[in-house]
Amino acid sequence: MSVLLSVIYLIATVTFVVGLNKLGHPETAKKGNLIAAAGMGLAIIGTIFIHDLQVPIIIYILIGAAILIGSIIGWLIAVKVEMTKMPELVSLFNGFGGASATLIGVVEFSKNVDSTMQATTIVSGIVIGAITFSGSLIAWGKLNGSLKSVIKIPQYNIVNNLVFISIIALAAYMVAIGGYNPLFLYGLLAGGLVYGILFVLPIGGADMPVVISLLNSLTGIAAAITGILYDNMVMLVGGILVGSAGIILTIAMCKAMNRTLSSVIFGSFTATNDISGANKSLGTIKKTNASDAAIMMNYASNVIIVPGYGLAVAQAQHVIHELEEILTTKGVNVKYAIHPVAGRMPGHMNVLLAESNVDYGLLVEMDDINPQFNNTDVVLVVGANDVVNPAAHNDPASPIYGMPILDVENAKHIVVNKRSMNAGYAGIENELFYNSKTAMLFGDAKAALTDLVSELKNM
């Protein structure tokens, strides 16, 4: 490796670290993303043009065409994607990263099995990449509704463990015997793809934020393995950063849901079949309208807004920001309560509200906001469900029992905006809706918030 290329890789590595650091805050996240992307672009250019190999011109043409086509497709997808579809996009990108690592492993296996270390590296990349690819596609299908949230497989744990053990055994055997055997190679590839499907298929929708984080970490690990194979420090460092960040985020998500990683992988939240507007065991609901809800908030001193996936679906982030600004001009103290797993991926609500230029200082994390609910006059819940369900505290039989939630039920008055009484992603009834302090404001989030804004402007 030339000195110039080493310097380029060093600069690229620094941009990755700086970019990752800036991604921790919405105000600097865009700049961080651009810095890291610029570093990656620099590393790609250096890798293509700075080397001692005699490369035919057609290779450069093919590489350039691939980069151009991929860039155009990626740019179009990123520009057109709606915020509600962002978790699906992340899943797809994870899958493409895994597929890339797998294809590299398949291509290189016949040429680079000169040592046990090389064979181990290539086999590991194939297995992890295949699992990531197929698992990410299943996650994408669950997120966009193409697949059922929970798909039960008979004797799931036994089947899954047998497939996993078979993959490990085959991989170990391939490393031990050395040489190129297409039957074993493609058998290993097929096993990885099957395991990725079995791995994600039974996992419940409420656990999707954890699954996305875990698949993201696997993508990073696959990239790092490829970096080892090619002795490429940029790929290695980039993969390590993505993999370690994904693992840390996975652990944080599990903690936020009071779930162990094993319970996410080997079990799932189960849905209930009794979803009705008036559940006899919980009581009856109380409806309200935009006028009454507006009056309640207009004369409040403290209002907390709890955003959820319904806000994203309705693309109502700009309207809710307008509502917050109107209340603020009336002297109302307004804050947003952010649950770590609200939405369909980690940080979903933070990104959504940042898009509408909500002051980041108004976004308060769960542990900091919970003690404030006792002194809150009105809580407005918009499209959130499981993260405000008191069953997590009150019902030991509930599948979400023990999960940290926003203590909305402690507020003086609660207004919940939902389209209907359907269950949330965990598939269970929400006790909060039947609380005597709760009033249900039914309807599309954007339409309901627009009506609230209109009523407040007339007061």
Side-chain angles (χ1 to χ4, degrees), residues 12-22 36 237 241:
T13 300
V14 172
T15 63
F16 295 164
V17 175
V18 172
L20 185 61
N21 181 61
K22 289 185 177 295
V237 173
L241 288 174

Side-chain angles (χ1 to χ4, degrees), residues 154-176:
Q155 303 298 322
Y156 161 69
N157 288 337
I158 295 176
V159 173
N160 220 24
N161 289 334
L162 285 175
V163 173
F164 182 73
I165 292 171
S166 300
I167 292 172
I168 298 300
L170 179 57
Y173 181 71
M174 291 173 64
V175 171

